[in-house]
Amino acid sequence: MARRRVRQSVFFLFGGPVLAAVLAFACYGLYLVTTLTLPKGEEHPPLLIYGAPFPLKPEQSIAETHLLERLSRLGYREVSEGPSHPGEYRVSGSALDLYLHGQEDLHVPAERVRLQLDRGRITGLSSPVQDGRLVSAALEPQLISGLRGVSRQVRTWLPLREIPPLLVDTILEVEDHRFYWHPGIDPIAIGRAVVANVVRGGVVQGGSTITQQLAKNLFYSPKRTLTRKFQEAVASLVLEMKYSKDEILEGYLNEIYLGQAGSVGIYGVAAAAQSYFGKQVDDLSIEEVALIAGLIKGPNTYSPLRDKDLAKRRRDIVLGRLRDTGKLTGEEWGAAVDRPVQVFPLQHVVADAPYFVDYLLSQVESGGLQIPSGAKVYTTLDPVLQRLAADSLQQGLTQLEAAYPILKRDDEPLQGALVVMDPRAGEVLAMVGGRDYRLSQFNRAVQAKRQPGSLFKPFVYLAAFEGQYGDETGPITAATTLLDEPVAFESGAGSWSPQNYDRQFRGKVTVREALEHSLNVPVVRVAHKLGARRVADVARQLGIRSPLDANLTLALGASSVSLLEMVSGYAVLAHEGIATSPTPLRQVVSEEGDPLWHAIGERHQVVSPQAAYLVTSLLKGVVDRGTATKARALGLTAVVAGKTGTTDGYRDAWFIGYTPEYVIGIWIGFDDGHELKLSAAQAALPIWARLARQVIPAASPDFAIPSGVMSVEIDPHTGQLATDRCPEKVVEVFIQGTEPTVYCEVHGGGLWERFKRTFGL
């Protein structure tokens, strides 16, 4: 009786848990048999997001357009003879010969193009095949990102038969050389790993098979727990029961995570070959195969995009394993390990633009556009401009912190945002929403609402020009004189007296002088004359959607807006008063190549071309003579209009500058509103100029003068027609019918001028 009790106690002590474990194992296994499904092919292919094609046209500079970088990004190879295959190019003194890739989804065939060159500038396009001039040609769009569910990733599914045996054998040798012999779990590998870890006193070796790794990647989190290892082991056995070894291996080679290109994950050997080397898997060399196989152990640790030396050491270990197993001869091994690691630069892997992609997806969602998996989305992004914008902001913020140590805070990093837009189509060409997307996904170009300060002043003068508002002295023009003297305005909150930034007053100034030097008192006087509601209405016509306070502080930019809104407003000025809503999207094509959606740009003439040109003329003066002259000192030579914006308390620094082709806007500040104690010319303008010098061609065209605008020589102190006795004369622009008709009453004279004007001479 005592022995029976002992046996029962032993059974309940040991047998019960074992039986429970077996039952749990069996039940979980049965559950997985009915639920686990191994992907076969691209059942759920990622949504692929591309940038914009780059048009090739006469007058472009090879250097200024960064054409060779664009070719490198797209995987083009320079050859010594005439290009004979798509993806090849040859540069000579007088021509650049290209064999353009075909774009099946856009129904564009591969074709040869010759760019005639003269001193590095394109003078014409021709077709060597058709022996005639080409009207147009374009480089294909670059991949920006891929989206699968909520994960940003790029991958290309390849059947096992299309993956080179060398790549397959190398990965098997490194990761699981008994793959074809074990049932999903390898007891020998587990035992070897346990011994190694005990000897080394830590986790230095794993015993997971390829089947276990695939199960973990597809179905479980990467956390190392006993529960997860148990689930992974059961799932591996189930996979081996349900699928053949080749099906499991194919899934593994296409699903394995192989690193990160910025915010985009690289999955599968095909995507890794393209991302790291710009090649198809068939074209990989032995050392490139070894590098990809070595990445599996630690994709981010051994990434050649982060640490080439560490990547080479890992690659050479794999090469040594191939030599030891007889897959490489000593001579082949020696040649392979002597070769350096050569990969695409990080920015060439994908055009990493995470804030832009966020903005794109938010626009798609708000517009109710349903995009199926596997579709291709073609955007407005220019990958080179995106890279230049991101680099300019990053380097500029670092230099600001070095020059002004007070800006370097442990609790809150100095932040910034940049937007580049094409004012003609409203296309967003580049967007940087913060310093580091990995640390903060808050898009300061779109989501942040800050006071624009003096950046808002041009809208006040635009409202005056547009309505030709004035008084008994006539309409307000660029030459109208305004009083820059102490003044008080009554409001519901009491009396308010605006001050200039330097606390000085200058007496009488023209509208041009007031805007060029960003004077506060004159612009508030104009806003008072117009009415704050009229100013707010014009701002809304320009695309400002944020709430605006309809009081006089609006003239000084006291209402909070986003950087994108302000860039959109300035784009109207750049595009002759025509508003186009900002857009990141061009078209969507299905996986089969069928068009699903195409952007239809809506344009509206919201202010007159004449009023828009007058403001642009004033803002050209801001850069040439006013608060933004530092841009010239920093080497910017192109014709540019622009405006600084510094908010009260020096909390925010802005600058927006534009040409007929580009509007570039920047904001600098702290997320918590901490004071910069720097003006816009000190904080924002240098970073803007760094980018503008690389983006805006030196020969950028001037703004077209619309009909109905005339130039008149005036006395700058009176704003009246200049006479021969005026000591100083300037040419000013006016909307026809608003030009001065009175000759300078201060300096007198003007008989000859009156005679010429009377007789139309």
Side-chain angles (χ1 to χ4, degrees), residues 402-455:
Y404 305 97
I406 193 173
L407 298 177
K408 195 171 181 63
R409 300 167 57 196
D410 294 332
D411 60 326
E412 183 82 25
L414 182 63
Q415 285 290 355
L418 257 170
V419 172
V420 183
M421 182 184 290
D422 180 348
R424 298 161 296 185
E427 294 185 340
V428 179
L429 304 177
M431 176 180 286
V432 186
R435 193 165 187 170
D436 191 337
Y437 185 82
R438 294 169 298 179
L439 299 180
S440 171
Q441 291 79 52
F442 181 65
N443 191 342
R444 295 157 188 83
V446 179
Q447 296 172 290
K449 300 294 181 71
R450 309 294 287 253
Q451 293 181 350
S454 299
L455 203 63

Side-chain angles (χ1 to χ4, degrees), residues 423-612:
R424 298 161 296 185
E427 294 185 340
V428 179
L429 304 177
M431 176 180 286
V432 186
R435 193 165 187 170
D436 191 337
Y437 185 82
R438 294 169 298 179
L439 299 180
S440 171
Q441 291 79 52
F442 181 65
N443 191 342
R444 295 157 188 83
V446 179
Q447 296 172 290
K449 300 294 181 71
R450 309 294 287 253
Q451 293 181 350
S454 299
L455 203 63
F456 202 87
K457 290 175 182 175
F459 299 166
V460 178
Y461 292 114
L462 176 65
F465 297 155
E466 175 65 9
Q468 297 187 11
Y469 282 80
D471 50 27
E472 65 278 359
T473 63
I476 295 176
T477 70
T480 298
T481 54
L482 303 170
L483 285 178
D484 183 25
E485 295 176 348
V487 64
F489 298 98
E490 294 300 323
S491 68
S495 180
W496 175 56
S497 298
Q499 298 288 326
N500 292 322
Y501 68 97
D502 59 0
R503 302 285 176 176
Q504 301 295 316
F505 296 97
R506 293 160 179 78
K508 277 189 175 182
V509 294
T510 64
V511 165
R512 180 174 290 278
E513 292 171 326
L515 186 55
E516 285 182 354
H517 298 287
S518 201
L519 302 180
N520 290 341
V521 176
V523 76
V524 175
R525 287 182 182 272
V526 173
H528 181 256
K529 182 175 294 188
L530 301 178
R533 193 168 300 281
R534 168 62 183 163
V535 175
D537 289 343
V538 169
R540 297 200 186 287
Q541 289 177 316
L542 298 179
I544 306 300
R545 298 290 175 259
S546 295
L548 299 175
D549 295 328
N551 58 53
L552 292 182
T553 62
L554 178 64
L556 303 183
S559 294
S560 297
V561 295
S562 72
L563 174 60
L564 183 61
E565 286 179 296
M566 293 303 295
V567 169
S568 300
Y570 274 71
V572 177
L573 301 176
H575 192 36
E576 301 178 338
I578 299 173
T580 54
S581 298
T583 179
L585 188 58
R586 280 192 168 187
Q587 62 178 317
V588 180
V589 177
S590 72
E591 188 177 6
E592 294 76 24
D594 299 321
L596 299 176
W597 183 89
H598 196 284
I600 301 175
E602 295 186 5
R603 302 181 179 187
H604 304 282
Q605 189 82 47
V606 294
V607 295
S608 70
Q610 295 78 19

Side-chain angles (χ1 to χ4, degrees), residues 164-175 177 289 322 327:
L166 177 62
L167 180 56
V168 176
D169 292 344
T170 301
I171 291 177
L172 287 175
E173 187 61 48
V174 173
E175 289 299 314
H177 67 278
V289 165
L322 296 178
K327 291 182 173 58

